[in-house]
């Protein structure tokens, strides 16, 4: 995802990133590869004995160093290097093949919480709220805390150039469902409209307050001038095309995106087009006689 996002930002003449600011902060998986020096620090900081046993059970040391980048390959950005961590021996998460989801997810969540707490303990400054809100301060430790969506947001929007031309290559759409936090899934609720797919919830089905705080802090960083649509809707559940306000929202969303993307492509073409030179054109005509 990150490589594709960087490619879009690098190669696109028009809009390269659209951020939909809704009510879900997003998935926060821990890295499946952790540099050995980091893993050792983290394991030493883990509190519970059960977690101290669980992590070495699921992570295996790979002593092969990462191959140096070839000159013919696109140069890796500094953000990607910081996000990946140092090259060299690393602990790799084992495959969960052979274990069903009911057994796997409790283990995953236990490791997720243990590693997140350990990262905050080992790298207090790098995981501070100030560092997390600064797009120029990236560190491997933040991968245990921020969602994949927020990292995409940071790369696709916050790291764009400061001038207006660069900023217009990203768009922000805000959508909030009123009544979502209090909603309960019905007995025959379809998977696509389950509450957990629209807002962060914990194992008990309650809204994850910590994730929501991080989401609100993230949304507050989006430049107001990039917001092209801001809509509040009643919870459907989900998007309910039987409701007129939802139909209007989808129509406005599609129309707005189409117009903004078309306008951005036109601006991009105009920026790189060569203006006709009347003297050159006249000389060219004479040469044809």
């Amino acid at each position: 995802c990150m490589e594709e996002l960087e490619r879009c930002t690098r190669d696109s003449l028009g809009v390269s990133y659209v951020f939909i600011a809704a009510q879900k902060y997003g998935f926060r998986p821990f890295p499946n590869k952790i540099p050995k020096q980091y893993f050792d620090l983290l394991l030493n900081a883990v509190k519970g004995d059960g977690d101290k046993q669980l992590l070495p059970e699921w992570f295996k040391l790979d002593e092969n160093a990462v191959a140096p980048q070839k000159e013919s390959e696109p140069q890796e950005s500094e953000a990607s290097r910081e996000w990946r961590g140092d090259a060299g021996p690393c602990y790799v998460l084992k495959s969960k093949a052979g274990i069903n989801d009911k057994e796997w997810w409790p283990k995953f969540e236990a490791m997720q919480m243990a590693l997140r707490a350990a990262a905050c303990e080992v790298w207090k400054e790098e995981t501070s709220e100030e560092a997390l809100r600064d797009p120029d301060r990236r560190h491997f430790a933040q991968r245990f805390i921020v969602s994949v969506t927020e990292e995409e947001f940071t790369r696709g929007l916050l790291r764009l150039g400061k001038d207006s031309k660069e900023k217009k290559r990203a768009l922000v759409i805000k959508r909030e469902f009123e009544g979502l936090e209090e909603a309960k899934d019905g007995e025959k609720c379809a998977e696509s409209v389950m509450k957990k797919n629209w807002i962060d919830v914990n194992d008990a089905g309650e809204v994850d307050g910590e994730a929501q705080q991080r989401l609100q802090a993230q949304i507050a960083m989006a430049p107001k001038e990039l917001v092209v649509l801001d809509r509040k809707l009643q919870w459907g559940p989900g998007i309910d095309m039987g409701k007129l306000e939802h139909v209007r929202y989808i129509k406005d969303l599609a129309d707005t995106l189409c117009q903004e993307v078309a306008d951005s492509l036109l601006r991009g073409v105009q920026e790189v087009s060569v203006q006709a030179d009347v003297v050159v054109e006249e000389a060219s005509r004479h040469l044809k006689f």
Side-chain angles (χ1 to χ4, degrees), residues 10-222:
R10 182 180 65 248
D11 297 343
S12 177
L13 284 176
V15 170
S16 60
Y17 178 74
V18 178
F19 173 57
I20 299 181
Q23 286 154 282
K24 187 161 184 175
Y25 181 55
F27 189 37
R28 293 193 275 175
F30 49 81
N32 59 10
K33 291 183 179 180
I34 303 176
K36 182 180 183 301
Q37 67 271 33
Y38 292 169
F39 187 87
D40 292 341
L41 290 171
L42 289 165
L43 188 61
N44 188 56
V46 169
K47 303 296 184 183
D49 292 338
D51 294 331
K52 277 186 178 291
Q53 295 176 354
L54 184 63
L55 287 167
E57 177 186 339
W58 279 95
F59 278 89
K60 181 179 180 181
L61 179 61
D62 180 358
E63 298 190 28
N64 293 317
V66 176
Q69 194 172 43
K70 297 179 181 178
E71 293 184 4
S72 59
E73 295 178 353
Q75 289 299 303
E76 184 181 31
S77 70
E78 185 175 348
S80 292
R81 288 193 297 273
E82 292 168 346
W83 191 248
R84 173 174 56 77
D86 296 335
C90 61
Y91 278 87
V92 181
L93 183 66
K94 296 179 183 178
S95 170
K96 69 181 186 71
I99 181 172
N100 61 50
D101 286 348
K102 287 186 178 181
E103 293 181 65
W104 164 248
W105 284 112
K107 297 178 185 293
F108 172 88
E109 290 170 359
M111 290 189 284
Q112 180 186 47
M113 299 306 293
L115 288 169
R116 187 176 300 162
C120 291
E121 179 66 26
V122 174
W123 296 287
K124 289 184 173 66
E125 183 177 344
E126 292 83 353
T127 59
S128 66
E129 195 61 30
E130 180 183 358
L132 292 171
R133 299 275 71 85
D134 186 344
D136 295 322
R137 292 176 63 182
R138 310 314 285 163
H139 188 274
F140 186 82
Q142 296 173 2
R143 293 183 64 179
F144 299 97
I145 300 169
V146 304
S147 68
V148 175
T149 307
E150 179 169 359
E151 181 60 20
E152 292 173 347
F153 167 85
T154 299
R155 298 192 192 199
L157 193 153
L158 298 184
R159 288 209 185 103
L160 289 176
K162 303 300 182 183
D163 61 87
S164 59
K165 290 181 181 179
E166 281 289 295
K167 284 296 183 185
K168 287 300 289 183
R169 296 180 64 197
L171 303 174
V172 177
I173 293 168
K174 291 186 175 182
R175 185 205 66 217
E176 178 182 345
F177 280 117
E178 296 179 331
L180 174 56
E181 291 193 16
E182 301 78 22
K184 302 290 184 182
D185 290 334
E187 291 183 6
K188 297 182 179 180
C189 182
E191 174 72 23
S192 61
V193 295
M194 284 185 175
K195 182 176 179 178
K196 66 179 182 179
N197 292 323
W198 300 81
I199 194 169
D200 305 278
V201 297
N202 55 28
D203 291 338
E206 299 171 344
V207 174
D208 185 336
E210 190 261 344
Q212 288 297 294
Q213 288 179 356
R214 296 209 171 279
L215 174 64
Q216 293 309 313
Q218 175 191 351
I219 293 175
M221 296 178 71

Side-chain angles (χ1 to χ4, degrees), residues 218-234:
Q218 175 191 351
I219 293 175
M221 296 178 71
K224 293 181 180 179
E225 64 270 19
L226 298 185
V227 178
V228 295
L229 188 65
D230 189 349
R231 195 65 54 85
K232 288 188 176 182
L233 307 169
Q234 289 297 316

Side-chain angles (χ1 to χ4, degrees), residues 3-14:
E3 291 179 1
E4 181 64 17
L5 178 57
E6 290 187 357
R7 186 191 67 79
C8 290
T9 304
R10 182 180 65 248
D11 297 343
S12 177
L13 284 176

Side-chain angles (χ1 to χ4, degrees), residues 236-250:
I239 295 290
D240 185 351
M241 297 307 285
K243 293 184 175 181
L244 183 58
E245 68 166 349
H246 287 204
V247 173
R248 286 174 174 166
Y249 162 69
I250 293 297

